[in-house]
């Protein structure tokens, strides 16, 4: 019998983990999702992660942390608390896999990635905090980008129109690619 494992993940990964059915396939695995907008408030993210990791440790659960570098020095943070961080700099690299991600950014280095969560909350996650309604600020922030790439996941509603509006607002072209969870599934299966 395997020891209980707690996967603490950013809410961005919920569609992928629901699709992979980890809890159904591995009864010893339990998932906890934290709000995806915590990356905007790293201090709150650190507090929430510390609390969830500590609670899991009190229950004698192995802890796997599914986060990118939304928290400064997250690798050391996880190590100090006895959690294993899933490799990857950010969620898109984890969702695409290193090879596919590298190919995309080598093909067009100025690629701005979107997922359903970011499309649905673009105003509050990006436009307002970065003051993108100011044309000059928007130009300064996005001038080096060449395209928007919407990474569509199997459970996404029809967001093409909304993704197009984001791309148009940023004065960038839109490309859509389908998510492939095989990389994430292999890493998580190995860790759990």
């Amino acid at each position: 019998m395997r020891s209980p494992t707690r996967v603490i993940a950013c809410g961005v990964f919920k569609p992928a983990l629901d699709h992979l059915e980890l809890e159904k396939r591995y009864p010893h695995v339990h998932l906890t999702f934290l709000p995806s907008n915590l990356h905007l408030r790293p201090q709150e993210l650190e507090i929430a992660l510390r609390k969830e990791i500590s609670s899991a440790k009190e229950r004698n659960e192995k802890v796997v942390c599914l986060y990118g570098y939304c928290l400064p020095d997250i690798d050391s943070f996880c190590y100090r608390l006895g959690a294993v961080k899933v490799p990857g700099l950010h969620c898109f690299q984890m969702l695409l896999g290193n090879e596919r991600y590298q190919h995309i950014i080598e093909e067009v280095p100025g690629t701005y990635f979107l997922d359903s969560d970011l499309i649905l909350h673009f105003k509050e996650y990006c436009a307002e905090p970065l003051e993108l309604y100011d044309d000059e600020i928007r130009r300064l922030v996005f001038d080096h980008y060449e395209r928007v790439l919407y990474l569509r996941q199997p459970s996404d509603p029809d967001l093409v129109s909304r993704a197009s509006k984001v791309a148009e607002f940023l004065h960038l072209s839109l490309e859509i690619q389908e998510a492939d969870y095989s990389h994430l599934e292999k890493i998580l299966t190995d860790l759990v």
Side-chain angles (χ1 to χ4, degrees):
M1 180 144 167
R2 295 181 180 183
S3 60
T5 300
R6 174 72 49 181
V7 176
I8 302 170
C10 175
V12 162
F13 291 103
K14 188 167 184 355
L17 297 184
D18 287 349
H19 183 82
L20 294 174
E21 298 183 317
L22 287 182
E23 288 177 303
K24 185 188 275 188
R25 291 170 44 206
Y26 305 102
H28 69 286
V29 173
H30 309 285
L31 305 176
T32 297
F33 295 100
L34 296 177
S36 59
N37 64 347
L38 282 179
H39 71 277
L40 296 171
R41 301 179 307 279
Q43 289 176 326
E44 289 179 37
L45 174 58
E46 181 176 346
I47 291 166
L49 279 173
R50 187 180 302 277
K51 179 183 169 213
E52 292 298 335
I53 292 170
S54 296
S55 294
K57 289 294 185 181
E58 287 173 12
R59 294 187 300 269
N60 292 317
E61 294 174 327
K62 174 184 173 183
V63 180
V64 174
C65 186
L66 182 53
Y67 264 90
Y69 281 41
C70 300
L71 182 67
D73 204 21
I74 191 168
D75 289 314
S76 296
F77 173 82
C78 288
Y79 178 78
R80 285 192 312 273
L81 295 178
V84 176
K85 186 195 167 303
V86 174
L89 296 175
H90 53 77
C91 54
F92 294 103
Q93 184 179 13
M94 293 178 202
L95 286 169
L96 289 163
N98 294 332
E99 213 172 281
R100 187 170 170 204
Y101 174 77
Q102 285 299 331
H103 174 74
I104 288 169
I105 61 169
E106 285 171 10
E107 179 183 64
V108 180
T111 298
Y112 183 73
F113 292 90
L114 288 177
D115 69 334
S116 59
D117 190 53
L118 190 51
I119 292 168
L120 293 169
H121 301 99
F122 186 77
K123 180 180 177 181
E124 56 266 37
Y125 289 5
C126 292
E128 289 175 351
L130 296 174
E131 300 179 16
L132 297 179
Y133 293 110
D134 180 299
D135 291 338
E136 183 65 20
I137 291 176
R138 185 173 61 240
R139 188 187 61 74
L140 288 170
V141 173
F142 283 91
D143 202 35
H144 65 285
Y145 286 102
E146 296 177 42
R147 71 173 172 183
V148 169
L149 191 147
Y150 165 32
L151 184 61
R152 184 167 44 197
Q153 300 184 61
S155 63
D156 284 1
D158 184 0
L159 296 173
V160 174
S161 175
R162 289 180 77 162
S164 294
K165 287 178 182 167
V166 170
E168 186 179 315
F169 173 73
L170 299 175
H171 304 290
L172 299 170
S173 63
L174 174 66
E175 185 177 321
I176 300 168
Q177 290 193 22
E178 305 301 323
D180 171 8
Y181 301 140
S182 58
H183 172 77
L184 182 61
E185 180 177 24
K186 181 183 180 334
I187 288 175
L188 288 174
T189 301
D190 290 347
L191 290 174
V192 301

